Amino acid sequence: LANGKNLKHADCNGDGIIDKNDIPSIITNYGIGSGKTSKQSSYNAANPDLYFELSKDTISPGDTVVAKIKLGRSGLQAQNIYGIAFRISFNASFIDSSSLSIDFDNSWLGKRDSDMVVIARNDYTNSFIDVALTRIDHMPKDGDGELGALTFVTIDNLSGGIFELDFDETILIDTAATLVPHNTLSDSLAIVGINNVVPIGKNVEVYPNPATDNIHIDAGNLKVQEVKLYDILGSLVLKQEVTKLQNIDINTSNIPEGVYILTLETTKGTVTRRVDIVK
């Protein structure tokens, strides 16, 4: 290989070719790894983001949720990428086990079984899925957007709280197997009853997100009465009564970095958004 490593350490089944036929050997020896990671301990705006794009902001019993797994943004692409591996952690008790699936049909990194091989190991019992994608043509790619999509259906007896999706044990490499620094962003969904959710659509805008010192809320035609901010454990962090009903500014300068749930109490019901705060 280009980095001087013997080819035998990459070819898993001994046929001299690195391709999808190596996957059964990898599965057989699954769990024996290096423990390396290129995830950053704190957010660095100069590095590409690995993040989720959720089809919903709130979930109710029996909802179908699509969580697109994305790497890089239009303003900051991931560059010279050859492979990526990560674990998606979640609370399995909220999900119908038969509904959990993941596909890579729209991955910008490559086409599965053509110029890219994929391993996805679903360990529903222990609340995680392990994923690895790597190109096999010695040609790295620059890009941004979708790597894959995780789909699941919530259970029928779902009760209130917060459903979290997290990235763990992430590795991003270039063609020389050098670790590429990147940020990982968790995401979450507020769990609500069937009858008390106002569809958000395009009426409510919350920005910037991620935020640092300030969050602006444009509520469109909704009349907001009160704003609350909760941490991922459900503890109330901020409560603000509203005088300007539709254009609201929230000071977040004294709120620690993390993932939060923003709720807007309106005359038509409750609107919920997920907000990242970075420092």
Side-chain angles (χ1 to χ4, degrees):
L1 299 179
N3 63 359
K5 297 290 184 181
N6 193 314
L7 184 64
K8 70 181 181 181
H9 299 302
D11 173 33
C12 297
N13 68 349
D15 65 359
I17 302 171
I18 302 170
D19 61 10
K20 67 180 181 180
N21 295 318
D22 292 309
I23 292 177
S25 298
I26 295 172
I27 296 298
T28 299
N29 296 282
Y30 195 84
I32 304 173
S34 67
K36 293 180 179 180
T37 179
S38 51
K39 173 183 176 180
Q40 299 299 284
S41 57
S42 59
Y43 190 87
N44 186 334
N47 295 333
D49 293 337
L50 177 65
Y51 62 102
F52 299 102
E53 182 180 274
L54 301 176
S55 60
K56 298 174 179 288
D57 294 296
T58 60
I59 50 174
S60 298
D63 275 355
T64 298
V65 179
V66 178
K68 292 184 178 180
I69 303 155
K70 294 196 167 186
L71 175 65
R73 302 181 190 270
S74 58
L76 181 60
Q77 288 191 326
Q79 297 184 334
N80 197 34
I81 304 304
Y82 201 73
I84 184 170
F86 51 86
R87 171 170 291 181
I88 301 174
S89 301
F90 51 86
N91 189 333
S93 65
F94 292 169
I95 296 175
D96 178 349
S97 60
S98 65
S99 71
L100 192 61
S101 65
I102 187 166
D103 74 71
F104 307 93
D105 294 342
N106 298 311
S107 176
W108 65 259
L109 189 59
K111 183 178 180 181
R112 187 172 188 171
D113 296 336
S114 176
D115 56 6
M116 179 180 75
V117 294
V118 175
I119 296 175
R121 182 174 180 268
N122 179 2
D123 193 338
Y124 174 86
T125 302
N126 292 306
S127 296
F128 67 81
I129 294 177
D130 284 342
V131 176
L133 304 88
T134 182
R135 295 184 60 77
I136 55 174
D137 61 356
H138 306 287
M139 300 292 292
K141 290 197 74 174
D142 300 344
D144 62 89
E146 183 177 334
L147 292 176
L150 177 70
T151 302
F152 58 88
V153 177
T154 57
I155 59 174
D156 290 334
N157 59 342
L158 194 67
S159 57
I162 295 174
F163 176 82
E164 285 188 83
L165 285 171
D166 296 299
F167 288 110
D168 295 305
E169 303 179 21
T170 62
I171 300 174
L172 188 62
I173 61 169
D174 61 16
T175 46
T178 301
L179 297 178
V180 178
H182 63 283
N183 306 305
T184 60
L185 299 177
S186 302
D187 213 328
S188 56
L189 294 157
I191 302 169
V192 296
I194 294 174
N195 297 321
N196 65 345
V197 176
V198 175
I200 295 174
K202 298 181 180 179
N203 294 327
V204 175
E205 295 183 4
V206 177
Y207 58 89
N209 192 7
T212 300
D213 297 318
N214 184 270
I215 297 172
H216 180 77
I217 303 165
D218 182 351
N221 60 358
L222 294 176
K223 294 182 179 180
V224 180
Q225 299 169 318
E226 189 175 62
V227 176
K228 295 178 182 178
L229 193 68
Y230 296 89
D231 64 20
I232 59 174
L233 299 177
S235 299
L236 182 65
V237 175
L238 180 147
K239 179 179 178 180
Q240 181 173 314
E241 293 185 359
V242 175
T243 53
K244 294 182 179 180
L245 298 180
Q246 292 162 322
N247 289 285
I248 306 151
D249 289 297
I250 305 296
N251 187 342
T252 58
S253 59
N254 294 321
I255 296 177
E257 181 172 303
V259 177
Y260 295 87
I261 299 297
L262 180 72
T263 66
L264 311 178
E265 300 296 336
T266 80
T267 55
K268 295 183 178 180
T270 302
V271 174
T272 306
R273 280 288 180 90
R274 179 261 191 163
V275 173
D276 290 323
I277 295 180
V278 297
K279 300 296 182 181

